[in-house]
C-alpha cells in the first residue's frame, strides 16, 4: 500500500509541475516603431537564447515560473536588460534605443598584408608590445620576431639602436606610422633615438619580411614595418608607469585620455623620460618625448591628428679611439674634441 501511495504522489507532482511552466514571448522594436528582425534575445545565466523573426517576434516555451533577466541586443541599438517575473504566460513589447556604433579605425589595405597575400609577415599586438616595453627602443621591443637582429651602441637597448631584417639595414626597410612614411628622405633610414618610448603609443605592428605591400618604392626591399597608433578609448583614464633596470636605467611614463566626449571627440596624451648610464663608458642617455593624439568619430567619418616628438642627449659611445691615435694626439678623435675622465683636453 505504501508503494502505491508513493507512486501516486510522484504522478501527481509530475502532473502539477506541467501546470507551473509558462510561455514568455514578445516583440522587439526600435524607438521609431520599426520591428527588428534578427535581434538577439537571451536569458542570462542560462543556455537559452533566440532571435526575432521577420515580424520582430520571439518566444520561449515551457519556462519555470520565476524571475528571469532577459538580455536584448541588436546592431546599432543599445543593449537592454529586462527583469521579468514569470507566474504565467507573458507577452512583452520591448523598445530598443538607437545609438551610434563606434568601431576601430580602418587600416589602409595598401600598407598591410592579409592572410591571402603571398608575403611573409608577423603581427605584434598591444599585449605583446606591453610585455616587451621596458623602456628600450623599438628595435628591442621587436627583438623576438623572426629574422630580426638588433644592435645597441650603449649595450642596454636604450639610445642609439638599430636592427636588420634578413640582413637588410634600415635604408632598405620601409617604416610607416598609420600609413605615413617615417624614413629620412636623404639616408632612407629611421633614427629610433628620436622616438623615445614610442612603443607606449602603439596599438599593433605588422612586420613584412622581404618585398611586401608597401607603395613607397625601393625603401621596402628588405622589409616593411607598419605601426598603428593607439585606438579608441571610450572611457577616461590616467596611468603612470615606472621601470628600473641595470646601469641606472629608468623609464617614467604618464598616459592620460579623456575617453569619448559627447560621443564624438577623444584626446590622448603621453609624456615620457628615459635615462641610463649605459653598459659602456661614455654611453649614457637622457631621452624625453611626448605624444598627442586627437580624434573625431562621426557616423561615417573618423578624423585623427597625431603629434610625436622626442629630444635626445646621448654620449659618443659608438666610435672608439685607437691606441696609436691616443699616443700621438689626445686632443681629437674622429668625432671631434676628446677629453679624458678628468676633463683634460
Amino acid at each position: 500500500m505504501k508503494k502505491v501511495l508513493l507512486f501516486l504522489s510522484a504522478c501527481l507532482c509530475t502532473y502539477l509541475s506541467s501546470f507551473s511552466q509558462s510561455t514568455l514571448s514578445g516583440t522587439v522594436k526600435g524607438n521609431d516603431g520599426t520591428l527588428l528582425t534578427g535581434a538577439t534575445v537571451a536569458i542570462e545565466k542560462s543556455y537559452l537564447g533566440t532571435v526575432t523573426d521577420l515580424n520582430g517576434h520571439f518566444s520561449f516555451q515551457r519556462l519555470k515560473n520565476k524571475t528571469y533577466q532577459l538580455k536584448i541586443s541588436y546592431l546599432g541599438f543599445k543593449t537592454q536588460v529586462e527583469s521579468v517575473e514569470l507566474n504565467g504566460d507573458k507577452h512583452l513589447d520591448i523598445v530598443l534605443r538607437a545609438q551610434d556604433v563606434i568601431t576601430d579605425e580602418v587600416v589602409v589595405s595598401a600598407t598591410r598584408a592579409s592572410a591571402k597575400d603571398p608575403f611573409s609577415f608577423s603581427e605584434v599586438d598591444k599585449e605583446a608590445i606591453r610585455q616587451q616595453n621596458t623602456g628600450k627602443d623599438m628595435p628591442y621591443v621587436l627583438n623576438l620576431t623572426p629574422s630580426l637582429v638588433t644592435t645597441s651602441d650603449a649595450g642596454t637597448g636604450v639610445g642609439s639602436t638599430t636592427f636588420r631584417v634578413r640582413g637588410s639595414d634600415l635604408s632598405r626597410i620601409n617604416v610607416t606610422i598609420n600609413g605615413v612614411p617615417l624614413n629620412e628622405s636623404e639616408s632612407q633610414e629611421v633614427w629610433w633615438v628620436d622616438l623615445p618610448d614610442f612603443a607606449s603609443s602603439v596599438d599593433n605592428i605588422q612586420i613584412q619580411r622581404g618585398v611586401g605591400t608597401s607603395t613607397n618604392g625601393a625603401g621596402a626591399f628588405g622589409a616593411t614595418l607598419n605601426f598603428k597608433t593607439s585606438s579608441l578609448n571610450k572611457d577616461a583614464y590616467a596611468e603612470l608607469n615606472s621601470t628600473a633596470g641595470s646601469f641606472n636605467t629608468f623609464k617614467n611614463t604618464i598616459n592620460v585620455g579623456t575617453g569619448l566626449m559627447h560621443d564624438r571627440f577623444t584626446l590622448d596624451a603621453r609624456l615620457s623620460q628615459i635615462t641610463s648610464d649605459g653598459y659602456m663608458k661614455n654611453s649614457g642617455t637622457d631621452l624625453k618625448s611626448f605624444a598627442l593624439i586627437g580624434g573625431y568619430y562621426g557616423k561615417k567619418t573618423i578624423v585623427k591628428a597625431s603629434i610625436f616628438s622626442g629630444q635626445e642627449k646621448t654620449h659618443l659611445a659608438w666610435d672608439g679611439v685607437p691606441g696609436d691615435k691616443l699616443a700621438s694626439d689626445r686632443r681629437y678623435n674622429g668625432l671631434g674634441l676628446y677629453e679624458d675622465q678628468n676633463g683634460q683636453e
Side-chain angles (χ1 to χ4, degrees):
M1 185 66 182
K2 184 182 293 185
K3 292 183 179 179
V4 174
L5 290 175
L6 289 173
F7 176 76
L8 292 175
S9 298
C11 292
L12 181 60
C13 289
T14 303
Y15 177 75
L16 292 175
S17 66
S18 64
F19 288 94
S20 65
Q21 294 177 337
S22 304
T23 298
L24 175 60
S25 61
T27 56
V28 180
K29 301 179 182 179
N31 50 0
D32 60 353
T34 303
L35 293 170
L36 300 180
T37 301
T40 301
V41 184
I43 297 177
E44 293 194 324
K45 297 181 180 179
S46 77
Y47 296 103
L48 298 177
T50 186
V51 294
T52 54
D53 60 18
L54 294 175
N55 298 314
H57 182 266
F58 70 91
S59 178
F60 293 97
Q61 306 291 331
R62 304 183 66 181
L63 294 179
K64 293 182 180 180
N65 289 334
K66 64 176 185 177
T67 300
Y68 295 94
Q69 299 296 320
L70 207 61
K71 184 176 182 179
I72 309 98
S73 59
Y74 191 75
L75 184 63
F77 291 82
K78 187 175 181 180
T79 298
Q80 192 167 309
V81 177
E82 297 276 349
S83 181
V84 181
E85 184 178 352
L86 198 64
N87 50 21
D89 292 348
K90 180 168 289 190
H91 183 86
L92 302 175
D93 289 314
I94 299 170
V95 178
L96 297 182
R97 221 172 21 154
Q99 69 170 6
D100 295 335
V101 178
I102 304 295
T103 61
D104 290 338
E105 297 92 329
V106 176
V107 178
V108 179
S109 60
T111 61
R112 288 258 170 156
S114 66
K116 296 181 180 180
D117 293 323
F119 307 119
S120 173
F121 67 91
S122 300
E123 301 275 1
V124 185
D125 59 21
K126 189 172 185 178
E127 178 60 23
I129 296 172
R130 186 190 66 80
Q131 292 178 4
Q132 292 292 106
N133 184 19
T134 58
K136 296 183 179 181
D137 294 344
M138 187 57 69
Y140 280 78
V141 174
L142 301 175
N143 194 29
L144 297 180
T145 57
S147 304
L148 190 145
V149 179
T150 60
T151 57
S152 170
D153 291 326
T156 57
V158 177
S160 295
T161 60
T162 187
F163 64 84
R164 292 173 177 265
V165 178
R166 290 183 173 178
S168 297
D169 63 18
L170 276 171
S171 65
R172 288 294 177 262
I173 297 175
N174 178 232
V175 181
T176 60
I177 299 178
N178 298 333
V180 178
L182 186 63
N183 297 69
E184 202 269 337
S185 57
E186 183 176 356
S187 68
Q188 297 299 311
E189 295 194 41
V190 174
W191 312 106
W192 301 107
V193 72
D194 296 332
L195 292 171
D197 200 25
F198 178 58
S200 294
S201 297
V202 174
D203 184 77
N204 61 76
I205 308 167
Q206 185 182 87
I207 306 172
Q208 301 173 22
R209 295 178 288 277
V211 177
T213 62
S214 175
T215 59
N216 297 305
F221 175 79
T224 300
L225 266 72
N226 293 300
F227 293 92
K228 181 178 176 296
T229 54
S230 301
S231 298
L232 170 66
N233 290 295
K234 293 185 179 181
D235 300 320
Y237 66 93
E239 183 180 72
L240 173 63
N241 290 321
S242 293
T243 303
S246 303
F247 313 108
N248 292 322
T249 303
F250 298 95
K251 184 195 84 160
N252 295 292
T253 303
I254 300 175
N255 285 296
V256 295
T258 61
L260 193 60
M261 301 182 295
H262 306 293
D263 293 328
R264 287 292 183 270
F265 302 97
T266 63
L267 183 64
D268 299 276
R270 173 182 59 80
L271 190 64
S272 303
Q273 181 177 27
I274 302 173
T275 58
S276 177
D277 291 343
Y279 173 73
M280 300 169 58
K281 183 180 178 182
N282 296 329
S283 63
T285 53
D286 184 0
L287 312 175
K288 301 179 178 68
S289 69
F290 76 88
L292 195 63
I293 303 174
Y296 167 79
Y297 294 82
K299 291 183 177 180
K300 297 182 179 180
T301 305
I302 297 176
V303 179
K304 294 186 70 176
S306 303
I307 301 174
F308 301 94
S309 183
Q311 182 182 41
E312 53 97 0
K313 292 183 180 179
T314 57
H315 292 177
L316 304 181
W318 57 83
D319 193 13
V321 182
D324 58 345
K325 182 71 173 177
L326 287 176
S328 61
D329 182 6
R330 292 182 58 86
R331 183 174 175 82
Y332 292 93
N333 65 17
L335 296 173
L337 183 66
Y338 172 80
E339 295 179 353
D340 63 18
Q341 60 184 358
N342 298 319
Q344 300 295 321
E345 295 183 3

